[in-house]
Amino acid sequence: MNWAVLLQNVLVTVHLRQILCYGSVRLSVPEEQEAGVRIGSIGSTFPPLYQLLTQFYLRVDQGTGDVYTTDNRMDREALCPDQLQAEECIVPHDAIVGPEAELVKFMVVVEDINDHAPHFDNTEIHLSVSEDVAVGTSFLLDDQAEDRDMGRNGQLQYHLGGAGGFFSVTVEEEDEVAIFFLVVRQGLDREKQDLHEMTLVATDCGFTPLSATATLFIKVTDVNDNCPEFTLGSTQKVVITEDTPRDTVVARVRATDLDLGPNAAITYSLSPKVSERARELFSLDSHTGLIRLRGDLRDRHSDSVSDRGEEVVLKVLASGPHCPPADTQVTVSLLPAPYQENGIKIRFIAEHQNQTIVLQENQPPTVLALLELPGDTSSVRSSSYLSIEGEVPFSLSRQNGKYLLSTSKPLDYEVKSEYHVSVVMREGVGEPAAQGFPRREIQVRVVDVNDNAPQFHQSHYLIDIEENNPPGASLLKVRAQDVDSGQNGQVTYKLDRPSHTAAALYRIDQNTGQLTVSVPLDREQQDVHRLTIVARDNGFPPLESSVMVTITVLDQNDNAPVFITPHFIFFLPENIPPLAQVGKVGVSDIDAGLNGEVEVRVVNSSVGPFVIDNAQGTLRCMADVDREKQDRYELDLLATDNGRPSPLTSVARVTVFIEDVNDNQPQVILPSSNLSCLTISTGTTTGTMVTKIYAIDKDSGLNSEITYTIAAREPPGTSPSSHHHGDSSSSPFQLDARSGNVTLAQRLMGKDLGMHHLFIVVTDGGKPAPLHTTVWVNLLVNDTLEPCHLDTMPRSLPYRLAQTPSETPSEMPVCDRHAQLILLLGLGMMVASLCLFLATVVLYMKQRKRSRGEQQQRRGINEENQIPLRIPERYFLGEEL
């Protein structure tokens, strides 16, 4: 025979069998299961016994083949890190099965649960979009979220929060890869909103979906879609006199372009329709829009202003790149110089326009103009002087016959924006101004500067809002007031350095101060939000102030109670006392107040004696349980919160396994009675099983493992005092401790004829104290196989055989009613013996009394001449007794 070929065939057969077993046994388990969860069995495929080579994640019941989870939870993402979405996570396991310890393999498929939320690598996504982009244009977003779960648990859906209808997201499948795009849904206008801030939410498709968020910032870039414009009412009329100095600023034109940078560049020019006369008299700065007087009007006699005056019209154009020009008009009225022979002469030192001094507020005392007395100063009397009428913040100081007009203190635009300073000539100190004396009224216009920050009407805003609000809900409208004028008094609002969360949740209208919430709020994530709103004016440099807004999110009953596990497993010994605690039933509700108060009850309370102690959060057993009647209980728990208007509920399952205690002693089935008898032929061969002792124990495990022991033997013809305690040499029969088989250990001889009584102790394996049962096995050795009859109980055993060394008398169970009868007979014999002893004592005392009387009579006859000494008879009796 070719042994190599045979060995190869055997190996191939074994290998094929392992492959078949590997493919036929397939167990599935959801990941992250707790310890003790049964996932299946290999007992239906392989014979016992069973043992796993590796018991890190799973363990097996050696007798049944049931497979259970261990304390080490199985994480599918850790066990199969490179698995594709369409693949299964298979973990092979090796087991030794059967009486021949055969090595087999079986598959364990680790099923995915939704235990991982989506994740964005970047919490902020920045994108630039031109404001002239067409509606419907899509932009690829590279910053996609990832989810480590598989199947539906790993499939992601996207939506935008706080987009205001301008944008949306769509997902497209390309080569089984999901790609999502940002789609423009409305026309964009940078001049109205240059930055769109929204929340990108990625949600998986699990049964209980999980989500992640990232903030999407879309910057709208500028295009040249606006042209320069003059405001309504920009037409100006200016009056100057013939004595106006050269290079005086006559007027200034301003146009605006809402674009940015080069797109907002404005160039000013005079219209081609402007007359040559106007071009000779005035110049226009192409960048600033300032119109100046080219020269001194009085030096140009040929073109001097007529006595009736002259009017010059300037049409100014404002042009931008690729834009038609906007136009406005400035009309300059030229008047002849006033006759000043008898008037007060004035020469302006400070900036002035149209004979009006222009001075910024908050300036320190400043010289404004130089005044001279009318006429020839030499002809003016020395007592004449100039003074200011009224209480105004101005002063005159005389220097070399002339007067300097100055401010006496800083001027405040918010107090008064324009002054009319009346200067008059007087004669003598303290004299009033005479009628007809020269006077001059000087106009001073105070120019506002940005010296006041906006002020809020309240120092702190408090708002309450219920969670789950609709997106875009209005919270409040803040208002700050700036007492400055023009651009300095225009206020805009913003959130001051908002956190990532606040920026995604809240919006404020920069012009109106309307605060809104962009997405529904969740009190369980954050119950109090604190924002800082900044009000800033448009001055240069801008000034700002801030106010705190506290938003308290009120609770709604939007969260059902949650058990710490959907399936509780408890192990309970069957001897547990009533009202004892079975285990903790953990349940929580993240809502607040009554919405978060939870009551748990057993729905199917008729299944077993179990109730929920809500005060302690425990499951309690209300009555005795017996594993031999029912070894497990399946309970359904219902948790209900106290929310209004409608409470929310959740369910969980409880499995209570009843653990065995050694509360049942073995029960002997065979022999059926202590009077049972079996005839054994003398021709029976050695090693033959002559009978069997069979007992059962209703307990389980070690408590039901039974051993058999011969405690005493009574061979034929022996007395009760000659019991052989476990000595096999006096009996030809032996007992197998495990199987209970009684076999013939040696050849039967003539001395073995007769009745053999074997006293058997049946013991279970309970801890700490085993329980026992006794039985008599009666074997009649005879030459013939005639039926055996036993009418009387076997003889009593000595006291030391009535109990084993490991037990106390109270623990030794009585075999049956015959053992009780033996005990009663023994007690009767003891009573009879005591009565016989007492009777013997009485008879003996009477005999002694009679013999002493006879002796006294003889002494009386012999000593009748002596004085008798009489001693009471009771003395002797007492002494004897």
Side-chain angles (χ1 to χ4, degrees):
M1 179 180 292
N2 191 339
W3 292 102
V5 174
L6 179 60
L7 179 59
Q8 182 178 3
N9 293 334
V10 171
L11 293 176
V12 169
T13 303
V14 172
H15 183 64
L16 289 176
R17 181 176 181 183
Q18 290 184 351
I19 292 176
L20 291 175
C21 292
Y22 180 80
S24 61
V25 180
R26 180 186 177 97
L27 306 179
S28 298
V29 55
E31 61 175 330
E32 304 293 346
Q33 291 296 303
E34 294 185 341
V37 177
R38 182 182 181 276
I39 69 170
S41 178
I42 61 175
S44 60
T45 307
F46 306 112
L49 297 167
Y50 309 94
Q51 181 179 357
L52 291 180
L53 293 185
T54 302
Q55 300 190 24
F56 187 75
Y57 292 112
L58 302 174
R59 64 177 179 84
V60 65
D61 188 294
Q62 294 184 359
T64 64
D66 292 341
V67 181
Y68 298 89
T69 57
T70 65
D71 292 330
N72 302 303
R73 299 193 178 189
M74 305 181 77
D75 186 355
R76 186 195 65 85
E77 290 73 30
L79 293 172
C80 305
D82 300 326
Q83 175 192 4
L84 299 177
Q85 285 286 333
E87 295 179 352
E88 291 182 330
C89 179
I90 299 176
V91 181
H93 280 72
D94 298 316
I96 297 176
V97 300
E100 299 179 0
E102 186 176 3
L103 178 64
V104 298
K105 288 181 178 290
F106 63 93
M107 293 186 301
V108 176
V109 180
V110 183
E111 299 175 346
D112 183 58
I113 64 173
N114 194 22
D115 58 340
H116 290 87
H119 171 71
F120 284 99
D121 290 336
N122 299 316
T123 57
E124 293 185 358
I125 302 173
H126 295 267
L127 186 66
S128 295
V129 177
S130 176
E131 64 176 325
D132 63 346
V133 65
V135 175
T137 304
S138 299
F139 297 90
L140 175 65
L141 292 178
D142 295 328
D143 297 273
Q144 299 190 31
E146 295 181 355
D147 195 316
R148 297 180 61 191
D149 294 321
M150 68 171 294
R152 291 186 56 84
N153 297 331
Q155 293 179 2
L156 300 182
Q157 297 177 343
Y158 296 89
H159 71 274
L160 286 177
F166 286 98
F167 301 93
S168 66
V169 289
T170 60
V171 180
E172 298 181 4
E173 294 283 342
E174 291 186 10
D175 298 331
E176 298 183 356
V177 176
I179 302 175
F180 76 104
F181 298 87
L182 178 74
V183 183
V184 180
R185 296 300 183 187
Q186 293 184 20
L188 304 179
D189 189 348
R190 187 208 62 81
E191 288 71 35
K192 292 182 179 179
Q193 187 173 355
D194 60 349
L195 181 65
H196 293 264
E197 183 178 343
M198 61 205 75
T199 303
L200 178 62
V201 182
T203 306
D204 60 31
C205 299
F207 180 75
T208 303
L210 303 176
S211 62
T213 60
T215 304
L216 180 60
F217 295 94
I218 300 179
K219 180 181 180 182
V220 183
T221 58
D222 185 57
V223 296
N224 191 22
D225 58 344
N226 292 279
C227 292
E229 292 181 352
F230 288 105
T231 60
L232 293 176
S234 61
T235 301
Q236 302 181 47
K237 290 186 177 182
V238 180
V239 178
I240 63 174
T241 59
E242 188 180 20
D243 60 349
T244 300
R246 184 176 55 187
D247 293 332
T248 298
V249 176
V250 177
R252 182 176 185 177
V253 292
R254 288 179 182 270
T256 57
D257 191 324
L258 297 179
D259 292 326
L260 291 177
N263 295 332
I266 300 176
T267 302
Y268 300 97
S269 62
L270 293 175
S271 171
K273 297 180 180 180
V274 173
S275 65
E276 290 296 330
R277 166 74 171 166
R279 292 178 182 275
E280 291 179 357
L281 292 178
F282 301 101
S283 64
L284 174 64
D285 191 304
S286 62
H287 299 293
T288 62
L290 293 175
I291 301 175
R292 297 177 181 273
L293 184 63
R294 281 184 178 273
D296 192 345
L297 296 177
R298 291 175 298 180
D299 293 340
R300 306 178 63 86
H301 300 290
S302 59
D303 297 328
S304 61
V305 179
S306 66
D307 294 337
R308 292 177 298 177
E310 181 182 357
E311 196 171 77
V312 178
V313 178
L314 302 175
K315 188 174 184 180
V316 180
L317 303 179
S319 303
H322 311 292
C323 285
D327 63 84
T328 188
Q329 183 174 294
V330 178
T331 302
V332 182
S333 297
L334 304 178
L335 299 178
Y339 180 72
Q340 297 182 345
E341 181 176 353
N342 293 321
I344 299 174
K345 296 181 179 179
I346 181 172
R347 291 188 178 274
F348 296 106
I349 299 175
E351 180 182 355
H352 61 285
Q353 291 182 1
N354 299 326
Q355 303 299 312
T356 300
I357 297 175
V358 179
L359 181 65
Q360 288 187 348
E361 66 174 330
N362 301 326
Q363 296 292 323
T366 304
V367 177
L368 304 179
L370 180 65
L371 304 180
E372 297 183 27
L373 292 171
D376 187 3
T377 56
S378 60
S379 61
V380 178
R381 286 189 271 178
S382 60
S383 60
S384 301
Y385 66 94
L386 296 179
S387 67
I388 299 175
E389 288 185 331
E391 295 293 332
V392 291
F394 300 94
S395 63
L396 287 174
S397 60
R398 188 169 185 173
Q399 292 185 1
N400 299 326
K402 299 180 181 180
Y403 294 85
L404 293 177
L405 176 64
S406 306
T407 56
S408 59
K409 64 178 182 179
L411 304 183
D412 190 346
Y413 173 86
E414 287 72 36
V415 175
K416 193 171 185 180
S417 61
E418 188 171 336
Y419 293 88
H420 296 273
V421 182
S422 181
V423 180
V424 63
M425 186 179 76
R426 298 178 184 274
E427 290 287 348
V429 178
E431 294 293 333
Q435 191 70 22
F437 271 39
R439 67 174 55 241
R440 184 74 180 265
E441 187 174 273
I442 303 171
Q443 187 174 355
V444 179
R445 188 172 79 246
V446 182
V447 178
D448 183 44
V449 297
N450 194 27
D451 59 341
N452 291 280
Q455 296 297 321
F456 285 95
H457 290 180
Q458 293 181 221
S459 60
H460 191 188
Y461 291 90
L462 300 175
I463 310 168
D464 292 338
I465 182 175
E466 284 194 345
E467 61 177 334
N468 304 316
N469 54 278
S474 297
L475 297 179
L476 83 160
K477 189 174 184 179
V478 297
R479 186 180 178 188
Q481 188 172 6
D482 195 319
V483 296
D484 290 326
S485 64
Q487 296 283 341
N488 298 332
Q490 293 181 1
V491 180
T492 57
Y493 304 91
K494 68 173 184 176
L495 297 178
D496 183 32
R497 295 187 298 274
S499 63
H500 170 70
T501 302
L505 296 179
Y506 299 99
R507 298 285 185 275
I508 188 168
D509 189 291
Q510 64 176 357
N511 296 318
T512 64
Q514 182 68 53
L515 182 66
T516 58
V517 57
S518 303
V519 297
L521 298 178
D522 189 350
R523 187 205 65 85
E524 288 71 38
Q525 291 186 0
Q526 188 173 351
D527 58 348
V528 177
H529 300 256
R530 291 180 176 84
L531 307 176
T532 301
I533 297 179
V534 174
R536 170 183 281 192
D537 60 30
N538 290 331
F540 183 80
L543 300 178
E544 61 183 30
S545 61
S546 61
V547 68
M548 177 69 73
V549 178
T550 300
I551 302 169
T552 301
V553 184
L554 304 180
D555 185 58
Q556 286 186 343
N557 192 26
D558 58 341
N559 291 278
V562 177
F563 288 96
I564 61 174
T565 177
H567 190 185
F568 294 90
I569 298 176
F570 300 118
F571 294 89
L572 182 69
E574 60 178 330
N575 61 348
I576 188 171
L579 298 179
Q581 177 177 309
V582 178
K584 287 281 187 180
V585 179
V587 63
S588 62
D589 192 321
I590 58 177
D591 288 325
L594 291 176
N595 297 333
E597 294 181 0
V598 182
E599 180 178 349
V600 183
R601 63 186 180 91
V602 180
V603 178
N604 54 341
S605 57
S606 60
V607 172
F610 299 97
V611 296
I612 293 293
D613 182 356
N614 282 287
Q616 301 294 329
T618 60
L619 179 69
R620 293 188 180 275
C621 182
M622 302 298 293
D624 294 332
V625 291
D626 190 346
R627 190 204 64 83
E628 287 71 37
K629 294 182 179 179
Q630 187 171 350
D631 62 351
R632 65 187 291 176
Y633 294 87
E634 297 289 344
L635 310 175
D636 293 323
L637 301 184
L638 177 67
T640 307
D641 61 26
N642 292 323
R644 296 293 182 268
S646 57
L648 300 179
T649 61
S650 62
V651 296
R653 192 161 185 83
V654 177
T655 301
V656 180
F657 291 97
I658 306 302
E659 294 180 322
D660 185 56
V661 296
N662 195 25
D663 58 345
N664 290 279
Q665 67 186 38
Q667 297 179 0
V668 178
I669 306 301
L670 291 176
S672 60
S673 169
N674 285 330
L675 298 176
S676 298
C677 181
L678 181 64
T679 302
I680 307 299
S681 172
T682 54
T684 303
T685 59
T686 303
T688 301
M689 184 182 75
V690 296
T691 188
K692 179 178 179 67
I693 304 170
Y694 178 67
I696 61 173
D697 194 315
K698 293 182 180 180
D699 294 322
S700 64
L702 291 176
N703 296 332
S704 65
E705 292 185 0
I706 296 176
T707 57
Y708 304 90
T709 307
I710 299 177
R713 307 167 189 264
E714 186 179 320
T718 58
S719 63
S721 61
S722 60
H723 286 292
H724 299 273
H725 311 311
D727 184 6
S728 61
S729 62
S730 61
S731 175
F733 303 101
Q734 66 178 13
L735 174 66
D736 186 279
R738 300 295 295 177
S739 65
N741 296 334
V742 179
T743 59
L744 186 60
Q746 60 191 26
R747 197 172 110 179
L748 295 174
M749 308 293 289
K751 64 181 180 62
D752 297 321
L753 292 174
M755 184 67 70
H756 293 257
H757 301 289
L758 304 180
F759 186 69
I760 308 300
V761 177
V762 183
T763 307
D764 62 23
K767 300 294 183 182
L771 300 180
H772 312 274
T773 299
T774 60
V775 67
W776 283 98
V777 175
N778 307 301
L779 301 176
L780 175 61
V781 179
N782 199 0
D783 292 332
T784 64
L785 293 178
E786 61 183 13
C788 174
H789 298 285
L790 188 65
D791 297 328
T792 60
M793 289 286 296
R795 301 178 187 180
S796 301
L797 293 175
Y799 172 73
R800 65 190 185 91
L801 292 180
Q803 61 184 24
T804 62
S806 61
E807 66 189 74
T808 63
S810 62
E811 295 174 337
M812 179 63 183
V814 180
C815 178
D816 51 19
R817 59 187 180 88
H818 300 291
Q820 295 179 355
L821 183 59
I822 293 174
L823 178 61
L824 293 176
L825 290 175
L827 292 175
M829 292 177 65
M830 291 177 61
V831 173
S833 300
L834 181 59
C835 293
L836 181 62
F837 174 76
L838 293 176
T840 304
V841 171
V842 171
L843 292 174
Y844 175 76
M845 294 298 298
K846 288 183 177 181
Q847 181 65 28
R848 288 292 302 271
K849 182 177 181 181
R850 185 180 297 112
S851 62
R852 287 182 180 271
E854 294 175 352
Q855 290 178 2
Q856 288 179 356
Q857 289 178 0
R858 288 194 297 268
R859 289 178 182 174
I861 296 173
N862 296 330
E863 300 174 356
E864 58 184 359
N865 295 324
Q866 298 179 2
I867 298 174
L869 180 64
R870 301 181 64 87
I871 298 175
E873 181 181 357
R874 64 178 178 273
Y875 176 82
F876 295 99
L877 292 174
E879 184 179 21
E880 292 296 329
L881 290 173

